[in-house]
Amino acid sequence: MGKARARHLAKDRREKIAAAQRRAIEGPLPDFVVIGTQKGGTSFFYSLLTEHPSVRRAAAKELHFFDNKFAEGVGWYRRCFSKGKRVDGHRTITGEASPSYLFDPQVPERMARIVPEARLIALLRNPVDRAYSNYQMEVRRGKEARSFEEATEEEMTSTEDEGNTVDVRYAYLRRGLYAEQLERFSFFANRDRLLVIKSENLFTRRLEVLERVLRFFRLPPFE
């Protein structure tokens, strides 16, 4: 994705959220949240899932409430969701997908407090493929001039050296340490409200993955 395309998408997202904030009535809290991972196929997954007649889109796919907008308050978050209804005898559900949630250590506690009943989905891509895709995205945006080898070597060196920190935008390798990230969401996992999916399965067997997700949400199948 080039710089112009990225700017266009960011502007479109801001405008949709701003329009939602002008609503007088607050909507519900989300029934589900896709928490990651970055470059793991969350955009494709969210687009596929919200084709279901019982799944309503949020004001924008990525709301970033639990990492970047938490200070705005729960009312801000609620206005990003529309009131539900019943379709073919089933209650509609709604949710968002902010892939940075999985990596941010502040998010799990905030989610456990605000949306304890939500169902979470984590899409996990092969860490090396994910890291390189992340790197390529930053290059296309004009924000990364190093080679992939230089960037990852510097990240590993900085991580080992307690005196240095790595900008989270360039945490190409650390974002792939899924075990410790998922451990922080144990509140949801212990209540069977966390579903982990391999991104590769989504890319190659999307209908099979979608059926599994719909069972997780207790929604009927659809064509």
Side-chain angles (χ1 to χ4, degrees):
M1 184 188 300
K3 289 188 285 186
R5 175 65 172 164
R7 286 196 298 268
H8 172 75
L9 291 177
K11 179 182 178 183
D12 182 62
R13 182 173 66 86
R14 288 194 301 268
E15 290 176 347
K16 288 178 178 178
I17 293 176
Q21 294 310 305
R22 291 193 288 270
R23 298 171 183 164
I25 301 176
E26 296 179 1
L29 288 169
D31 301 283
F32 71 90
V33 180
V34 182
I35 59 175
T37 183
Q38 189 183 56
K39 309 307 294 179
T42 59
S43 294
F44 173 60
F45 175 75
Y46 189 76
S47 177
L48 184 67
L49 179 62
T50 52
E51 288 293 322
H52 194 290
S54 294
V55 181
R56 307 186 318 282
R57 284 178 171 268
K61 173 222 168 192
E62 297 184 28
L63 298 179
H64 290 284
F65 172 67
F66 290 103
D67 52 3
N68 298 337
K69 296 289 186 179
F70 198 68
E72 299 288 346
V74 177
W76 182 95
Y77 197 42
R78 283 181 175 272
R79 281 189 289 273
C80 292
F81 301 99
S82 58
K83 189 176 181 180
K85 56 183 179 180
R86 298 190 74 82
V87 175
D88 297 329
H90 295 275
R91 183 182 72 85
T92 59
I93 65 173
T94 188
E96 59 134 333
S98 295
S100 56
Y101 286 165
L102 181 63
F103 186 63
D104 193 321
Q106 301 178 96
V107 168
E109 186 276 332
R110 291 173 174 178
M111 294 189 75
R113 179 154 44 95
I114 304 298
V115 289
E117 299 302 316
R119 293 179 182 269
L120 310 187
I121 292 181
L123 290 165
L124 304 185
R125 186 177 180 182
N126 176 288
V128 176
D129 294 338
R130 195 224 67 80
Y132 189 62
S133 180
N134 191 173
Y135 165 80
Q136 288 181 311
M137 178 180 70
E138 298 299 336
V139 170
R140 289 192 297 270
R141 289 175 172 177
K143 298 180 178 180
E144 178 62 86
R146 299 169 296 177
S147 69
F148 182 64
E149 291 74 15
E150 290 171 338
T152 52
E153 183 176 349
E154 185 174 325
E155 180 184 348
M156 287 188 289
T157 303
S158 298
T159 302
E160 293 170 358
D161 185 349
E162 295 182 359
N164 294 323
T165 58
V166 178
D167 188 322
V168 293
R169 291 176 299 173
Y170 310 121
Y172 303 126
L173 301 178
R174 286 193 295 149
R175 287 184 185 274
L177 302 177
Y178 302 133
E180 62 183 54
Q181 295 170 38
L182 289 172
E183 178 64 27
R184 296 196 290 258
F185 288 90
S186 60
F187 171 82
F188 293 91
N190 292 339
R191 299 164 74 246
D192 296 322
R193 290 183 175 274
L194 173 62
L195 178 64
V196 177
I197 296 172
K198 289 179 63 177
S199 298
E200 290 76 11
N201 289 342
L202 173 65
F203 301 149
T204 60
R205 303 199 297 271
R206 61 181 180 273
L207 295 182
E208 179 183 315
V209 169
L210 185 59
E211 289 177 0
R212 183 183 174 196
V213 171
L214 294 180
R215 289 196 298 271
F216 179 62
F217 288 155
R218 298 173 183 171
L219 291 177
F222 80 115
E223 294 293 332

